[in-house]
Amino acid sequence: FPVTIRATGAGGAQGYRGVFSDTTTQNISTAATGAAITFNTDEMVGYGISRGTPTSRIVIANAGTYNIQFSLQLTLTTGSSTTTNIWLRINGNDVARTNTFIVEKNNEYTVAAWNFVYDFAANDYFELIASSDSSSAQVTAVVPTGQPAIPSIILTVTQVAYNGNTGPTGSTATIVTGKQIGRAHVCS
């Protein structure tokens, strides 16, 4: 007899995700408390992760464990070198042990790229924060001739763990009965 199974949950390959970028050059704050990097482009949205208000906030609509990957293109426009610090802030609070510094040299591009994995509750938000000891430090966007544009920042957020229903179970299976031609087992 025919068996119909209806899956529930957002687990597996259907995990939540979002990709964001910014096409502008942003000056990096010289304040020790830093300033949030902003985003002006949604590369992939509608999958449980979105830009908030202000546009530095990335909002996680559904609880779970998420991987945050980013790359920033840094430059120093004057001076010989500077140090820029970058860290993670969740719901307005700096996250311990996420700060890393990059040394930039004048007129050279430096790419800061790493990732964080964190548990989020529904509707939490995070920001990437930057601070430099030079007012000439920037997160720089470039439009090369004949090539794709280089955003100042690219951010990818993907769900890596889902703790709810991940697919068919005994309680979600529907059995349509008819003439028995064999045996069907629904496991829970």
Side-chain angles (χ1 to χ4, degrees), residues 1-6 173-180 184 186:
F1 49 90
V3 176
T4 303
I5 309 272
R6 292 185 179 92
T174 302
I175 298 177
V176 180
T177 58
K179 181 177 179 184
Q180 182 174 357
V186 177

Side-chain angles (χ1 to χ4, degrees), residues 9 23 32 36 46 49-51 56 82 92 94 106-107 112 139 141 145 149 154 158 162 168 172 174-175 181 185:
T23 59
I49 302 170
S50 61
R51 282 187 297 147
S56 59
T82 190
D94 294 337
N106 190 337
N107 293 319
V139 182
T145 302
I154 300 170
T158 53
Y162 176 73
T172 61
T174 302
I175 298 177
I181 57 172
H185 299 277

Side-chain angles (χ1 to χ4, degrees), residues 11-115:
Q14 297 302 314
Y16 301 113
R17 60 214 180 268
V19 181
F20 311 92
S21 66
D22 192 85
T23 59
T24 65
T25 293
Q26 302 178 46
N27 292 320
I28 297 175
S29 171
T30 57
T33 56
I37 304 297
T38 59
F39 302 89
N40 67 4
T41 304
D42 297 329
E43 305 288 352
M44 176 187 288
V45 293
Y47 300 99
I49 302 170
S50 61
R51 282 187 297 147
T53 302
T55 62
S56 59
R57 291 183 179 180
I58 302 299
V59 180
I60 308 291
N62 302 282
T65 303
Y66 291 84
N67 184 26
I68 301 165
Q69 298 176 297
F70 69 90
S71 64
L72 292 159
Q73 182 166 256
L74 304 167
T75 56
L76 178 64
T77 58
T78 62
S80 60
S81 69
T82 190
T83 300
T84 295
N85 292 65
I86 303 166
W87 66 91
L88 183 64
R89 186 175 285 165
I90 297 177
N91 297 330
N93 301 305
D94 294 337
V95 179
R97 295 172 299 282
T98 61
N99 192 0
T100 301
F101 68 83
I102 302 288
V103 176
E104 300 163 64
K105 296 187 187 268
N106 190 337
N107 293 319
E108 292 182 11
Y109 292 106
T110 303
V111 175
W114 55 86
N115 69 299

Side-chain angles (χ1 to χ4, degrees), residues 129-179:
I129 307 300
S131 175
S132 179
D133 55 10
S134 171
S135 60
S136 298
Q138 298 178 330
V139 182
T140 307
V142 178
V143 182
T145 302
Q147 298 175 357
I150 302 168
S152 55
I153 182 168
I154 300 170
L155 171 71
T156 302
V157 184
T158 53
Q159 182 185 30
V160 295
Y162 176 73
N163 297 321
N165 292 331
T166 57
T169 64
S171 62
T172 61
T174 302
I175 298 177
V176 180
T177 58
K179 181 177 179 184

